[in-house]
């Protein structure tokens, strides 16, 4: 039994989950920097630097860009309740747990929510959104760019086009994609985009970066009703992160230090280089898994999220036992599916600092050993050989790309 008076000694894990990811030693050092007050002049100036780095990673010139003091789910809450008021109509694209969460939060605003569904493992069809919105006054279209629960990515561009046709705002969940997959806020004219710090950015969990278009700022200032949450009301939070630096709440200052350092690492590598690293590592992982006779839950390669891969659990294999062996024998943590998909597949995260060639090869070797021990027939060494071949055929990795 754990003695609560014992010194803190957590195990060192290789985090290959859909989040959180491992963090760089540089980020750990940032967490240990001296604490200052949240209205200290040094810190309020430092905040401006964090905002500028976030703009670069979001690829936006939006003035209103800052981290919410909450997890990615707090980002969902912030996005939805600020945009919608009672009597509004909105469309939410639902193809997994987290896009469904967006719809559930939206339903609590008093707005009428139209869910446009896609089967698990597929992206929502923008034509279905267009048909649903015809003849209706749709205020916003919401979607998860990366649906973490199933490993599906959604192409943003056609939804921007549909939203324009409907005269609607576009709200995008980039929790699983920002810094690992192109989001390009200004290019897609996303009105509100939120993310999480603990995934491809590779900072600790607990903050949700958000960026708001000038058009949406006007909408927020013209609301007829108050936002249902005082804490997540952007019109007040943005005053703390704006020129006034008006006190709103006490933010998690060490987490902001860590976020700043993690963003510096992302931008030192370069966004394009980061996207390519994530792509190459997933391609090697997939090559190795398929060579071992395993299959993926997301069948269409175009729908596969590069930061999270859903791997079908082979017939006759005890999924929780494999995860337990990975954790206890190799210190590797992966995740199961969620809800009704819990026993269908494993979710393997390759995001941020965890997305490294050595981690891919270690995972494939460990998984092969465990599956062989459990009696699965597979060609020994095939997974590692296929992954190595994938890397050999890929474009050279730029200096500093492996963080």
């Amino acid at each position: 039994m754990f003695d609560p008076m014992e010194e803190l000694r957590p195990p060192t894990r290789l985090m290959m989950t859909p989040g959180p990811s491992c963090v760089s030693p540089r980020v750990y050092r940032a967490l240990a920097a001296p604490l200052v007050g949240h209205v200290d002049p040094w810190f309020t100036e430092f905040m401006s630097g964090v905002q500028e780095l976030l703009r670069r990673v979001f690829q936006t010139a939006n003035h209103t860009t800052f981290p919410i003091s909450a997890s990615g789910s707090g980002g969902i809450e912030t996005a939805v309740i600020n945009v919608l008021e009672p009597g509004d109509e909105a469309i939410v694209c639902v193809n997994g747990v987290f896009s469904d969460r967006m719809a559930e939060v939206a339903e609590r605003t008093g707005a009428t929510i139209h869910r446009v569904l896609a089967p698990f493992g597929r992206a929502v069809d923008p034509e279905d959104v267009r048909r649903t919105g015809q003849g209706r006054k749709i205020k916003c279209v919401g979607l998860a760019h990366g649906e973490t629960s199933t490993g599906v990515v959604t192409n943003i561009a056609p939804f921007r086009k549909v939203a324009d046709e409907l005269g609607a705002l576009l709200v995008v969940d980039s929790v699983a994609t920002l810094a690992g997959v192109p989001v390009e806020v200004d290019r897609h004219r996303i009105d509100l985009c939120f993310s999480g710090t603990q995934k491809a950015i590779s900072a600790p969990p607990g903050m949700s970066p958000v960026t708001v278009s000038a058009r949406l700022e006007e909408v927020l200032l013209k609301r007829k009703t108050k936002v249902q949450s005082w804490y997540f009301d952007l019109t007040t939070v943005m005053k703390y992160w704006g020129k006034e630096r008006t006190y709103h709440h006490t933010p998690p200052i060490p987490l902001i230090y860590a976020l700043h350092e993690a963003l510096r690492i992302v931008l030192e590598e370069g966004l394009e280089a980061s996207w390519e690293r994530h792509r190459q590592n997933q391609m090697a992982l997939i090559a190795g898994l398929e060579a071992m006779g395993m299959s993926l839950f997301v069948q269409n390669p175009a729908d596969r999220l590069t930061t999270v891969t859903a791997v079908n659990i082979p017939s006759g294999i005890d999924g929780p036992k494999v995860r337990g062996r990975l954790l206890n024998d190799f210190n590797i943590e992966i995740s199961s599916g969620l809800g009704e998909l819990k026993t269908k597949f494993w979710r393997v995260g390759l995001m941020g600092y965890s997305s490294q060639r050595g981690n891919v090869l270690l995972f494939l070797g460990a998984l092969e050993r465990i599956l062989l021990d459990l009696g699965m027939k597979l060609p020994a060494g095939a997974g590692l050989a296929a992954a190595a071949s994938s890397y050999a055929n890929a474009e050279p990795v730029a200096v500093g790309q492996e963080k």
Side-chain angles (χ1 to χ4, degrees):
M1 180 178 290
F2 178 75
D3 181 351
M5 291 301 293
E6 281 186 5
E7 181 183 354
L8 179 66
R9 294 177 181 175
T12 300
R13 306 291 197 198
L14 172 52
M15 303 293 293
M16 296 183 69
T17 70
S21 61
C22 295
V23 304
S24 165
R26 288 172 52 179
V27 174
Y28 282 122
R29 288 195 293 272
L31 282 167
L35 189 66
V36 298
H38 54 286
V39 293
D40 184 294
W42 177 88
F43 184 72
T44 55
E45 185 175 348
F46 174 75
M47 290 164 64
S48 297
V50 175
Q51 290 177 277
E52 178 55 30
L53 296 183
L54 277 175
R55 289 187 190 101
R56 296 181 195 178
V57 174
F58 272 121
Q59 294 183 291
T60 185
N62 288 341
H63 171 73
T64 301
T65 303
F66 55 85
I68 297 290
S69 300
S71 68
S73 291
I76 297 176
E77 184 103 3
T78 300
V80 172
I81 67 174
N82 278 272
V83 173
L84 296 176
E85 298 186 68
D88 287 338
E89 288 191 78
I91 292 172
V92 178
C93 305
V94 176
N95 63 337
V97 170
F98 295 100
S99 48
D100 184 68
R101 184 171 296 176
M102 181 186 289
E104 182 178 344
V105 174
E107 287 169 343
R108 299 185 183 199
T109 65
T112 299
I113 306 303
H114 306 280
R115 297 172 183 238
V116 178
L117 308 177
F120 291 152
R122 290 172 53 186
V124 170
D125 187 339
E127 289 302 317
D128 291 341
V129 174
R130 179 180 284 109
R131 283 191 291 270
T132 300
Q134 285 176 350
R136 293 188 167 104
K137 189 176 181 180
I138 301 299
K139 188 173 186 181
C140 80
V141 174
L143 62 89
H145 185 211
E147 178 49 75
T148 324
S149 67
T150 55
V152 173
V153 70
T154 292
N155 182 9
I156 297 172
F159 292 91
R160 174 71 271 176
K161 182 178 179 181
V162 171
D164 285 341
E165 293 173 9
L166 299 175
L169 300 162
L170 182 63
V171 175
V172 174
D173 172 347
S174 68
V175 171
T177 54
L178 187 64
V181 179
V183 177
E184 302 172 300
V185 168
D186 283 0
R187 176 171 171 257
H188 292 301
R189 293 182 293 109
I190 300 170
D191 292 291
L192 195 155
C193 187
F194 62 91
S195 189
T197 53
Q198 77 277 20
K199 303 211 177 197
I201 292 175
S202 275
M207 302 212 78
S208 180
V210 62
T211 187
V212 177
S213 72
R215 178 168 77 146
L216 181 54
E217 279 194 53
E218 292 183 15
V219 172
L220 297 179
L221 294 174
K222 293 177 181 178
R223 282 181 62 103
K224 298 175 183 177
T225 60
K226 287 186 177 182
V227 175
Q228 67 189 64
S229 166
W230 179 89
Y231 186 77
F232 290 120
D233 183 347
L234 284 173
T235 61
T236 54
V237 183
M238 67 174 59
K239 291 178 182 178
Y240 175 61
W241 283 94
K243 292 181 181 179
E244 303 96 333
R245 294 290 192 250
T246 304
Y247 168 72
H248 179 264
H249 68 285
T250 305
I253 291 164
L255 294 186
I256 297 175
Y257 292 165
L259 172 60
H260 175 264
E261 188 62 17
L263 292 170
R264 288 182 65 229
I265 293 170
V266 169
L267 293 168
E268 285 171 6
E269 178 180 14
L271 285 172
E272 292 81 3
S274 179
W275 301 335
E276 178 61 15
R277 171 170 55 86
H278 283 83
R279 188 192 70 82
Q280 286 190 18
N281 286 328
Q282 191 200 39
M283 293 303 295
L285 173 67
I286 291 172
L289 292 167
E290 291 181 339
M292 293 164 64
M294 305 185 72
S295 64
L296 303 184
F297 180 71
V298 181
Q299 297 181 8
N300 181 2
D303 288 341
R304 290 173 185 163
L305 175 61
T306 56
T307 54
V308 180
T309 303
V311 185
N312 289 324
I313 299 173
S315 177
I317 295 297
D318 185 328
K321 181 176 287 187
V322 171
R323 290 178 55 232
R325 285 280 306 275
L326 283 168
L327 189 68
N328 296 323
D329 296 354
F330 297 94
N331 272 330
I332 298 173
E333 183 175 358
I334 65 170
S335 297
S336 64
L338 296 174
E340 64 187 85
L341 301 174
K342 184 176 180 66
T343 61
K344 302 295 184 183
F345 53 73
W346 299 302
R347 292 180 298 149
V348 181
L350 284 172
M351 47 178 61
Y353 193 69
S354 293
S355 183
Q356 297 188 32
R357 180 179 306 192
N359 294 343
V360 173
L361 299 176
L362 175 61
F363 169 73
L364 289 171
L367 182 62
E368 177 189 286
R369 178 68 267 161
I370 294 166
L371 292 176
L372 286 170
D373 287 348
L374 294 178
M376 183 173 167
K377 305 296 183 183
L378 67 157
L384 287 171
S389 178
S390 177
Y391 283 124
N393 293 327
E395 292 294 323
V397 177
V399 175
Q401 194 163 316
E402 289 281 13
K403 297 190 290 179

